[in-house]
Amino acid sequence: MAGRPPKVAHVNKAFRAEIASARGLVDAMSALPAKIHPSIQVGVHPKHLRQVVALAFMGVVSAWEEFLERTLVRYLAGASADSGYSPALKHGSANSLAHAYEVLSLNVDYNPQRDYLKASDARWVWRTADFFFSSHPYGALNNKADLLKNASRIRNRIAHDSEKCKSDFRVAALWFLQPANGQLTQGYGPGSLLLDTAQRNFGNQINQAGISHFEAYMRAFESLAGSVVP
């Protein structure tokens, strides 16, 4: 007797909780007075605020990639959202979550302790969905491909100090800032970019909201999650 199909609502809820947690941390830290001089008793040094924002962002990007993987696997195993929505399968559903991982990875010996899906690559996610579903919600990722690619570049620079990560971050920062001289200021890093005001690339409603790149990304991720799990 076949078991009940898996759910995706809890995956969506968990991801949104990660966003709320990161947003709450950043808001709380940002509300503290700036502490430049050691004699100031209460406050946060701007450098430490930038570090906190960067780490919060890194956590959300990792949670986003986990969200994509967990929803894709569950949809392939026949899951439906609480709204009743389920992508239309081309070839029938997987027998279980484990079977779905085997199918998506093309590896009958898939081991979640050792192997992984390419959920960090948004293009892989929606093109894989194209293969297994005749209709699906992951096309929304295609419309935000550059935004998602640059989120990964920012995250990778936070996590790594390699020359490639530095170069990729510079590409992302210039894409957002578009400075007249084509240069970033000395020492400009992920925390600085995330705290700067978003002015382009998020869509007019967010671009004109006067919010930081960090908050703009949080809203973009919330919107995308709502498309994937309607």
Side-chain angles (χ1 to χ4, degrees):
M1 182 176 177
R4 297 173 62 184
K7 300 288 186 179
V8 293
H10 67 291
V11 177
N12 188 31
K13 183 178 180 180
F15 176 56
R16 291 179 181 277
E18 284 289 334
I19 293 177
S21 178
R23 181 184 273 142
L25 175 61
V26 170
D27 287 348
M29 292 293 288
S30 298
L32 293 173
K35 181 180 179 180
I36 305 296
H37 198 277
S39 64
I40 300 176
Q41 296 299 311
V42 178
V44 57
H45 193 284
K47 176 183 177 181
H48 297 150
L49 175 59
R50 292 192 294 269
Q51 290 173 336
V52 167
V53 173
L55 291 173
F57 182 79
M58 183 169 66
V60 170
V61 174
S62 295
W64 164 248
E65 293 169 0
E66 183 179 6
F67 167 83
L68 289 179
E69 175 179 313
R70 295 177 72 194
T71 56
L72 183 62
V73 168
R74 281 161 174 75
Y75 279 144
L76 186 58
S80 298
D82 282 353
S83 64
Y85 172 79
S86 183
L89 288 153
K90 287 181 179 179
H91 313 291
S93 64
N95 299 329
S96 64
L97 295 181
H99 184 216
Y101 271 107
E102 292 174 3
V103 172
L104 289 166
S105 65
L106 302 178
N107 178 7
V108 295
D109 296 316
Y110 183 90
N111 182 346
Q113 305 270 316
R114 180 191 64 230
D115 304 313
Y116 61 91
L117 301 181
K118 295 171 63 178
S120 60
D121 182 349
R123 186 177 188 277
W124 178 87
V125 173
W126 84 68
R127 294 298 287 157
T128 298
D130 283 345
F131 182 81
F132 289 103
F133 305 106
S134 57
S135 64
H136 62 80
Y138 296 99
L141 277 60
N142 189 12
N143 299 328
K144 300 293 183 181
D146 288 334
L147 202 62
L148 294 171
K149 182 182 295 184
N150 283 304
S152 293
R153 286 169 171 159
I154 297 168
R155 185 272 306 274
N156 291 342
R157 177 64 188 94
I158 296 166
H160 305 289
D161 200 34
S162 70
E163 290 303 316
K164 174 170 173 40
C165 288
K166 291 178 181 177
S167 176
D168 285 349
F169 170 72
R170 183 177 181 278
V171 170
L174 291 176
W175 185 68
F176 282 114
L177 302 176
Q178 297 183 18
N181 62 359
Q183 299 295 322
L184 301 177
T185 58
Q186 183 82 21
Y188 193 85
S192 299
L193 175 63
L194 291 167
L195 285 169
D196 276 347
T197 301
Q199 298 181 15
R200 57 181 63 85
N201 301 325
F202 286 97
N204 289 337
Q205 185 174 1
I206 293 180
N207 293 339
Q208 297 169 9
I211 58 177
S212 67
H213 287 106
F214 174 85
E215 176 58 23
Y217 260 118
M218 297 304 102
R219 296 186 189 186
F221 281 131
E222 286 173 329
S223 176
L224 285 168
S227 296
V228 173
V229 186

